[in-house]
Amino acid sequence: MKIMNFKLKTPKSKDSSLILSYVTLSNGNRFVYSTGEKIPLRLWDTNSQLPKKTKSQNDQVIVNRVNLKLDRLRSAYLELDHSYKSANKLLNKEILKQEFDILFKGAKKKEIPNDFDSCFADFFELKVKEGNWTRSTTQHYKRIYKLLKEFEKFYGFIDLELIDETWFAEFKNFCEVIKSHQVNTLGRNLGLLKTFLNYCLKKGFITNSLFKEVPARREITKQIALSKDDIDQLSGVDLSNNSRLERVRDIFLLGCYTGMRYSDFKRIKASNVSDNLITIREVKDKSKTLQIPITDRIRDILDKYNMELPVISEQKFRDYLKEVFKLAGFTKLSTRSKKIGKLVYEEEVPMYELISTHTARRSFITIMLNSGVPDKAIMKITGHKSINNFQVYYRPSNEVLSDFMSHVWS
């Protein structure tokens, strides 16, 4: 059992100091709480971190008062700790603070939401207010909420406190059999759900942490990366009679030449361009500021649109992009596969059906790596912090792999 200890808030003060209580909880977090008591430094034993014994009657009154408060705090903590352990519940910082505020400050007990809808509403509202979610992340959580409500109709009332491996098995079966979700869709949704449940656990909405044991598996799927020849072929297509597709083609090429995400390169304006650099803050991670050197190809596109890029919705952009690649002759058949549960389904589709907005970023990284540019130099441009996340983008073609092997073994 963890024992509560005490320390002075300002041990170097000349007169007296407030006393703080602290304890390390079962989850490893340290809980610190003010005792509300002050004591003269001369009456504090720095070794035992408790009031000293004294022969002075006046001082003993102070010591007795402080000891009484410390004993009350310690007893209250031990009782709560024992109570929660007996009920197989997790006592976290938020719950302990609320209980102490009620006991020692006369605070009213807050109504903690415990139903799925209230907990999710609390989670969603806070995260939106924090402003760290991208529009895409917000949409993902809206979809997972809708999915869970569908599952609730199928499976029955969702009791967050009872979510365990059995519940996840039922949810997984629902997603695969009823919704036909692929492995990566399921893995993403499980990851979102676990983030929500972690929030509930931290806030004290639930005490059950069994959901942490459930893995959110993903698999690397076959994704297209264009070669320099492919990009030149796309660039050379005459689309002057179709301004709609010409604009989409040009913006996509800008992504291929900069390695930026669509959410970033579509926002480029004249104010982002100076000293032969594009400087722009990332949408996905607002702590990152990208700086991309401007090459002749990049400048040609920026000048063509006078630094005001034609912007459309990402959904329309994806649809029009497939039209562009079809007109450009990217019609060679390729195998597209999807995995649902343990079953793998394959179909032949023309290459243009596999093109997405992210193909530009993937192509940039692949071309740069194939050209011998060091990882760190490319990561500086793309804004990647993790080498593992960066390497996921690399898609060497069979021809490139063959060249590598021939070069090594010749």
Side-chain angles (χ1 to χ4, degrees):
M1 182 178 290
K2 306 290 184 181
I3 304 298
M4 177 170 279
N5 296 304
F6 305 94
K7 64 180 179 179
L8 298 181
K9 184 178 182 180
T10 53
K12 294 183 180 181
S13 64
K14 295 180 180 179
D15 187 14
S16 60
S17 171
L18 184 68
I19 303 171
L20 301 177
S21 65
Y22 67 96
V23 65
T24 302
L25 302 176
S26 300
N27 59 8
N29 291 332
R30 174 178 264 207
F31 173 72
V32 180
Y33 194 82
S34 173
T35 66
E37 294 290 341
K38 282 189 174 183
I39 192 168
L41 265 64
R42 58 187 172 80
L43 296 180
W44 186 258
D45 187 331
T46 54
N47 291 323
S48 66
Q49 292 288 287
L50 290 169
K52 292 179 179 178
K53 292 181 180 178
T54 176
K55 294 181 180 180
S56 167
Q57 189 172 359
N58 290 336
D59 286 345
Q60 192 61 45
V61 171
I62 298 173
V63 169
N64 289 344
R65 187 193 74 237
V66 171
N67 275 329
L68 181 63
K69 184 63 174 291
L70 302 190
D71 286 342
R72 286 182 63 208
L73 281 159
R74 190 186 291 110
S75 297
Y77 166 68
L78 293 175
E79 185 177 338
L80 283 167
D81 185 62
H82 176 72
S83 173
Y84 271 73
K85 282 182 177 175
S86 297
N88 198 28
K89 294 181 178 180
L90 180 67
L91 182 62
N92 60 31
K93 291 195 299 184
E94 287 77 10
I95 295 174
L96 192 51
K97 182 180 185 305
Q98 179 177 313
E99 295 288 354
F100 271 26
D101 284 348
I102 293 169
L103 288 171
F104 300 108
K105 295 182 179 179
K108 293 183 179 180
K109 190 175 182 67
K110 294 179 182 178
E111 290 298 324
I112 299 177
N114 56 11
D115 65 286
F116 166 64
D117 289 309
S118 299
C119 290
F120 196 92
D122 189 276
F123 164 74
F124 190 86
E125 182 181 358
L126 177 65
K127 293 301 180 182
V128 170
K129 283 181 180 178
E130 287 177 345
N132 295 325
W133 279 358
T134 63
R135 185 166 177 247
S136 173
T137 302
T138 304
Q139 292 303 318
H140 281 321
Y141 275 105
K142 285 182 178 179
R143 281 194 285 268
I144 189 67
Y145 174 76
K146 183 179 178 182
L147 177 67
L148 286 165
K149 293 303 289 182
E150 287 184 50
F151 175 64
E152 192 173 45
K153 291 179 182 178
F154 175 81
Y155 181 79
F157 174 72
I158 296 177
D159 187 339
L160 297 177
E161 197 64 58
L162 299 180
I163 290 181
D164 56 10
E165 289 183 350
T166 302
W167 186 95
F168 270 102
E170 293 286 353
F171 180 66
K172 179 174 178 289
N173 183 69
F174 169 77
C175 292
E176 291 174 347
V177 176
I178 306 299
K179 304 299 291 183
S180 298
H181 285 173
Q182 298 181 44
V183 170
N184 285 348
T185 302
L186 175 63
R188 182 196 65 212
N189 287 338
L190 290 181
L192 295 172
L193 178 55
K194 290 177 72 174
T195 299
F196 162 62
L197 292 174
N198 268 313
Y199 172 84
C200 293
L201 187 65
K202 182 180 177 182
K203 294 286 286 184
F205 299 166
I206 61 173
T207 58
N208 172 22
S209 60
L210 292 174
F211 67 87
K212 289 178 177 285
E213 305 301 320
V214 177
R217 293 191 177 91
R218 307 285 287 270
E219 67 172 7
I220 297 176
T221 56
K222 181 181 178 181
Q223 294 171 318
I224 293 288
L226 303 176
S227 66
K228 288 175 71 175
D229 289 341
D230 290 334
I231 292 174
D232 288 342
Q233 178 181 336
L234 181 66
S235 176
V237 176
D238 183 8
L239 296 173
S240 57
N241 62 341
N242 192 326
S243 59
R244 171 178 62 91
L245 297 184
E246 183 179 28
R247 290 195 296 267
V248 168
R249 187 270 311 275
D250 292 343
I251 303 305
F252 179 82
L253 287 174
L254 187 64
C256 293
Y257 299 148
T258 62
M260 299 167 74
R261 294 183 178 87
Y262 178 74
S263 57
D264 293 321
F265 65 71
K266 74 175 184 179
R267 296 164 41 238
I268 298 174
K269 290 183 170 56
S271 57
N272 301 117
V273 179
S274 64
D275 299 328
N276 213 36
L277 289 171
I278 296 172
T279 303
I280 193 166
R281 190 180 291 272
E282 264 197 5
V283 168
K284 186 175 182 179
D285 183 350
K286 294 180 176 61
S287 67
K288 294 181 191 174
T289 297
L290 302 176
Q291 286 195 313
I292 296 96
I294 298 176
T295 62
D296 291 341
R297 294 190 181 201
I298 294 172
R299 187 167 295 283
D300 286 345
I301 295 174
L302 294 177
D303 289 345
K304 181 175 180 177
Y305 295 99
N306 197 26
M307 300 292 180
E308 290 292 333
L309 301 178
V311 177
I312 59 175
S313 72
E314 188 167 356
Q315 180 59 57
K316 285 185 178 179
F317 190 89
R318 283 196 296 265
D319 293 340
Y320 296 166
L321 199 55
K322 293 181 184 352
E323 287 187 57
V324 169
F325 272 82
K326 184 177 182 180
L327 286 174
F330 292 85
T331 55
K332 183 179 178 181
L333 291 179
S334 182
T335 301
R336 177 166 61 188
S337 64
K338 61 181 180 179
K339 186 178 180 183
I340 301 175
K342 294 183 179 180
L343 299 176
V344 177
Y345 302 90
E346 293 186 340
E347 62 176 336
E348 283 192 333
V349 294
M351 181 180 170
Y352 62 81
E353 287 288 347
L354 302 177
I355 301 295
S356 70
T357 53
H358 225 51
T359 303
R361 184 169 169 86
R362 195 179 306 113
S363 300
F364 173 84
I365 291 172
T366 298
I367 291 168
M368 294 285 277
L369 283 171
N370 285 344
S371 300
V373 181
D375 292 358
K376 287 188 176 180
I378 307 172
M379 290 170 68
K380 177 74 174 174
I381 297 171
T382 59
H384 280 100
K385 293 179 180 178
S386 164
I387 187 66
N388 290 332
N389 290 340
F390 169 74
Q391 288 177 338
V392 168
Y393 282 83
Y394 187 40
R395 293 291 187 276
S397 66
N398 291 332
E399 291 80 5
V400 168
L401 293 176
S402 179
D403 288 344
F404 284 156
M405 291 182 68
S406 298
H407 174 72
V408 172
W409 296 105
S410 61

